[in-house]
Amino acid sequence: MVATARPVGARRTRESYGRYYEDFEVGDIYEHRPGRTISEADNTWFTLLTMNQHPLHFDKEYARHSEFGQPIVNSCLTLSIVAGMSVSDVSQKTIANLGWTDIKMPAPVFNGDTLYAESEVLAKRESQSRPTAGIVTVKTTAHKQDGSRVMEFTRQMLIPKRGHAVDDKANY
């Protein structure tokens, strides 16, 4: 999302990201940019940091004998990057993620691939327990540089209404 600026003083504005509940419309699609190229270091560090010891992610000789012929990017890294790409547009103001469902990975991601993502608003409703928030459901899809779809997932979030986000209250 293009950042907005709100006045915080005389001749002073503050950059703000994300959307309020009122800004979401079912059927809208938000393209998340910039893209993100995944490096070998990204994949190795994430794999080892998360204690995933599968050599398919970091052993070129092992991976050479697999059906892929090369190391594949850890799917949890792909999920983390794609979700992160959507934050400034979809969930920067989110109070809480309520759930992730239907995570699909129809094609592998390799070191050096560049990912692009977009999110479609599937549903929204006012919260029954929090009058200052609503629940928004989006489907996020990621593609590689060649256009092939590599991931999709559905996410449900609790989003504040205008005037009730943390950045509306905090003076930092």
Side-chain angles (χ1 to χ4, degrees), residues 143-158:
H143 297 83
K144 293 197 298 193
Q145 67 279 351
D146 64 3
S148 60
R149 187 170 49 95
V150 297
M151 179 167 278
E152 67 180 48
F153 56 83
T154 301
R155 179 165 60 136
Q156 196 171 59
M157 303 155 293
L158 184 64

Side-chain angles (χ1 to χ4, degrees), residues 43-166:
N43 190 36
T44 300
W45 292 343
F46 185 90
T47 297
L48 297 176
L49 177 68
T50 58
M51 298 179 67
N52 180 334
Q53 298 179 33
H54 197 303
L56 190 55
H57 300 304
F58 55 83
D59 183 329
K60 285 183 182 180
E61 183 59 22
Y62 178 93
R64 185 173 70 84
H65 297 285
S66 74
E67 66 184 87
F68 306 107
Q70 61 182 312
I72 61 172
V73 170
N74 184 315
S75 57
C76 292
L77 174 58
T78 302
L79 177 63
S80 295
I81 289 173
V82 172
M85 291 171 75
S86 73
V87 168
S88 67
D89 206 8
V90 172
S91 60
Q92 186 86 20
K93 294 188 184 316
T94 295
I95 298 164
N97 280 304
L98 301 177
W100 302 68
T101 61
D102 304 316
I103 299 170
K104 296 181 177 119
M105 298 161 282
V109 175
F110 301 106
N111 297 329
D113 280 340
T114 300
L115 302 179
Y116 298 93
E118 63 184 40
S119 295
E120 178 181 1
V121 181
L122 299 180
K124 69 180 265 191
R125 69 172 178 82
E126 295 199 22
S127 171
Q128 295 174 358
S129 61
R130 294 185 184 216
T132 61
I135 297 170
V136 176
T137 304
V138 299
K139 177 181 178 181
T140 300
T141 306
H143 297 83
K144 293 197 298 193
Q145 67 279 351
D146 64 3
S148 60
R149 187 170 49 95
V150 297
M151 179 167 278
E152 67 180 48
F153 56 83
T154 301
R155 179 165 60 136
Q156 196 171 59
M157 303 155 293
L158 184 64
I159 307 283
K161 292 182 179 177
R162 196 168 314 286
H164 297 281
V166 171

